[in-house]
Amino acid sequence: MTSLRFIILLLQLWTVCAWEDYKDYKVLELQPRDLAQQQLLLNLDREQPQWDYLGGRRSATDTSRRVLVAPQQLQQLQQQLQLHGIEYKVLLEDLAPHVRAQRAENLSSKAKQRTHRIDVFAAFYNHSEINAYMESLVQLYPKRVQLKTFGWSYEQRALKILTISNGDGRRNKPVIFIDATIHAREWIAPSFALYIIQQLLEQAENADLLLNYDWVIMPVVNADGYEFTHSDSRFWRKTRKPTPIEEHIGTDINRNFGYKWGDDAGSSGDPAEEIYRGEQPFDQPETQVLRDALLHYKDRLAFYLSLHSYGNYLLLPWGHTSSFPDNYFYMMEIADAGAMAIIQSTNGIYSYGSGYHLMYPTSGDSNDFAVALANATVAITMELPAGGFLGFDPWVTHIEGIVTESWVGVRAMALEVISRGYQ
Ligand code: 0X9
Ligand code: ZN
């Protein structure tokens, strides 16, 4: 064995050791009977941080909820469900083989690839692969692509933002700004960001999207968390910066923005929770980078789109209050164009409206910040479709279907923004 192969083997062994295998973690499918029970699950989700994602809906037509439960927490959850009369079944007895199979699918699919061009449909890529790919685009399209490191993550990963133009040399066009991977485990989001990049650079039919607008794309905001989902713990959501409580790591970037930060209805001050807002607004370097990037484009931000999963939603501001921004109906028309285009192409159903009303209150999220403090005319948080057992974990074989459908929606929304002219 050559020494290089030996080193690779050691590295592989090391990643296997670090890997959280989710042995005996169960996936429960809950069937709330009515709206009251759905609300109850949302409340339980808030009160009991150990049960992740009780409130999340898979799609408009599916009223069931799925939840990941650690072996030591199963009994307590079952008791709660029985107490409230909520029906459930055990969908998966042990998540470990599923996580293993998905990891194997992804690694073997990547091993087969021979070109430097990222094949979006063939695998999920980690942070360094995505950065390397963006670097290669600068070489390939020197007149159309700019890549800037806007800052570094807590663990010192370069946070890169790509600007795509049509190369006509016109400066300061209005901007369509897209970010992805604020939440680490939402793997379909960076894949979709990469697909959008390829559509804009490689497909001549999309030239209309670049005539009077530049596209600014940040595929991985939460670089440390995302890397951690590849190397250690597939369902990690937050950043990786320690909190004041030693056993709890990470902050939710989407509660860490400094507009209406700190409201208990839409975020948590408890580092144990998945929606922990941090000790101070913007105390996460990743939030600072996204803030600075949005402020950089402040007076030409025609459309801010934040890619998340899951649930098939186009969420508009506000998240922090039940009232609506001044141009809410303008934003609704943009969302309507996206939802209609998707239903016509695949029958996919998206719900759209204010995040507060459609999903749950959020305070300190990027969407509200973009509108309130970075003057975005339109801001939409797009919750892409669910996949896999938990919604965040589509199989590689499902990437193509999800990203091609989503592109139909994003293209239609961008065209709607463009046809109305930047206002
Ligand atoms: O909770 C979040 O941050 C987002 N959902 S996710 O499942 N991807 O975590 C929703 C953000 C919603 N934004 C507004 N309500 N404005
Ligand atoms: Zn998210």
Side-chain angles (χ1 to χ4, degrees):
M1 189 184 293
T2 64
S3 58
L4 182 66
R5 285 196 54 196
F6 182 66
I7 291 167
I8 291 173
L9 188 75
L10 275 182
L11 276 173
Q12 279 170 344
L13 274 175
W14 179 77
T15 44
V16 168
C17 295
W19 182 250
E20 178 176 348
D21 62 3
Y22 294 96
K23 178 101 192 70
D24 294 329
Y25 274 65
K26 294 192 192 320
V27 179
L28 264 51
E29 189 170 83
L30 323 180
Q31 195 55 72
R33 219 183 8 248
D34 48 28
L35 276 175
Q37 287 200 342
Q38 287 180 24
Q39 192 54 44
L40 207 120
L41 287 176
L42 261 177
N43 295 343
L44 267 183
D45 199 15
R46 282 302 306 276
E47 288 158 21
Q48 308 282 346
Q50 72 273 24
W51 301 321
D52 199 3
Y53 221 73
L54 277 176
R57 175 200 81 156
R58 282 178 83 84
S59 76
T61 47
D62 186 351
T63 52
S64 70
R65 303 285 187 269
R66 291 189 191 178
V67 56
L68 177 61
V69 201
Q72 62 277 18
Q73 286 145 6
L74 183 64
Q75 212 190 354
Q76 205 196 347
L77 177 61
Q78 282 172 322
Q79 278 169 0
Q80 285 287 333
L81 295 174
Q82 275 152 15
L83 183 74
H84 297 291
I86 295 174
E87 278 179 37
Y88 70 93
K89 63 177 184 224
V90 180
L91 198 67
L92 198 62
E93 288 288 351
D94 180 7
L95 187 63
H98 171 70
V99 172
R100 252 199 322 272
Q102 284 210 324
R103 190 170 157 78
E105 181 198 38
N106 199 36
L107 289 176
S108 80
S109 175
K110 263 195 244 181
K112 279 187 223 134
Q113 285 182 47
R114 303 208 182 285
T115 63
H116 289 299
R117 179 186 181 277
I118 270 192
D119 183 350
V120 175
F121 301 162
F124 294 101
Y125 299 89
N126 64 22
H127 174 255
S128 49
E129 288 164 332
I130 293 173
N131 270 4
Y133 174 62
M134 292 200 290
E135 296 286 354
S136 77
L137 293 176
V138 182
Q139 311 298 318
L140 264 174
Y141 302 95
K143 291 209 172 71
R144 297 190 55 198
V145 161
Q146 269 189 322
L147 188 63
K148 191 168 169 211
T149 299
F150 256 82
W152 282 267
S153 68
Y154 173 73
E155 291 172 351
Q156 296 303 311
R157 292 190 170 86
L159 301 178
K160 289 180 188 278
I161 301 185
L162 193 78
T163 302
I164 300 177
S165 73
N166 62 359
D168 67 2
R170 237 173 72 208
R171 295 170 68 87
N172 297 327
K173 289 178 181 175
V175 156
I176 294 173
F177 190 112
I178 300 181
D179 69 43
T181 336
I182 279 181
H183 294 137
R185 62 191 171 192
E186 298 167 8
W187 280 16
I188 196 66
S191 290
F192 182 38
L194 293 171
Y195 186 72
I196 294 173
I197 291 171
Q198 295 185 342
Q199 282 294 314
L200 293 170
L201 287 174
E202 296 169 4
Q203 302 300 324
E205 78 238 24
N206 292 321
D208 48 352
L209 300 174
L210 288 155
L211 198 57
N212 295 315
Y213 289 75
D214 287 340
W215 290 58
V216 179
I217 302 179
M218 181 174 189
V220 186
V221 176
N222 182 3
D224 299 345
Y226 185 56
E227 217 43 41
F228 194 68
T229 59
H230 281 266
S231 63
D232 286 67
S233 190
R234 175 65 185 83
F235 295 103
W236 191 260
R237 168 182 168 97
K238 297 186 278 185
T239 60
R240 291 296 301 162
K241 186 177 162 187
T243 70
I245 299 187
E246 207 186 317
E247 65 265 34
H248 298 304
I249 306 262
T251 294
D252 185 349
I253 296 174
N254 225 20
R255 303 294 183 278
N256 189 234
F257 278 81
Y259 179 70
K260 303 286 174 187
W261 179 90
D263 183 352
D264 276 334
S267 67
S268 169
D270 177 358
E273 284 204 47
E274 294 289 7
I275 54 169
Y276 173 54
R277 57 181 168 251
E279 290 300 293
Q280 300 287 333
F282 298 119
D283 64 3
Q284 304 298 300
E286 301 81 2
T287 321
Q288 291 167 16
V289 167
L290 184 51
R291 170 197 65 193
D292 294 346
L294 286 168
L295 291 177
H296 182 81
Y297 295 103
K298 185 170 175 183
D299 292 313
R300 50 193 178 111
L301 213 48
F303 182 14
Y304 168 64
L305 179 69
S306 190
L307 301 175
H308 287 251
S309 71
Y310 59 83
N312 287 53
Y313 292 105
L314 298 170
L315 302 172
L316 314 180
W318 302 112
H320 73 278
T321 165
S322 59
S323 63
F324 303 92
D326 288 346
N327 64 341
Y328 183 73
F329 289 100
Y330 176 76
M331 294 198 213
M332 279 296 268
E333 282 164 9
I334 307 299
D336 183 72
M340 290 308 134
I342 289 177
I343 206 164
Q344 277 162 23
S345 86
T346 56
N347 277 330
I349 301 174
Y350 268 79
S351 308
Y352 47 107
S354 109
Y356 183 100
H357 291 282
L358 269 187
M359 217 175 180
Y360 40 65
T362 49
S363 55
D365 76 7
S366 69
N367 217 51
D368 283 8
F369 173 85
V371 170
L373 300 180
N375 293 352
T377 312
V378 178
I380 297 182
T381 295
M382 184 172 190
E383 298 281 357
L384 298 166
F389 270 103
L390 283 161
F392 304 111
D393 49 334
W395 293 90
V396 165
T397 47
H398 293 157
I399 297 174
E400 179 171 357
I402 298 179
V403 301
T404 50
E405 175 192 271
S406 309
W407 172 246
V408 170
V410 169
R411 185 177 146 78
M413 288 192 282
L415 279 177
E416 195 65 27
V417 165
I418 292 167
S419 73
R420 285 155 186 267
Y422 176 48
Q423 31 188 295

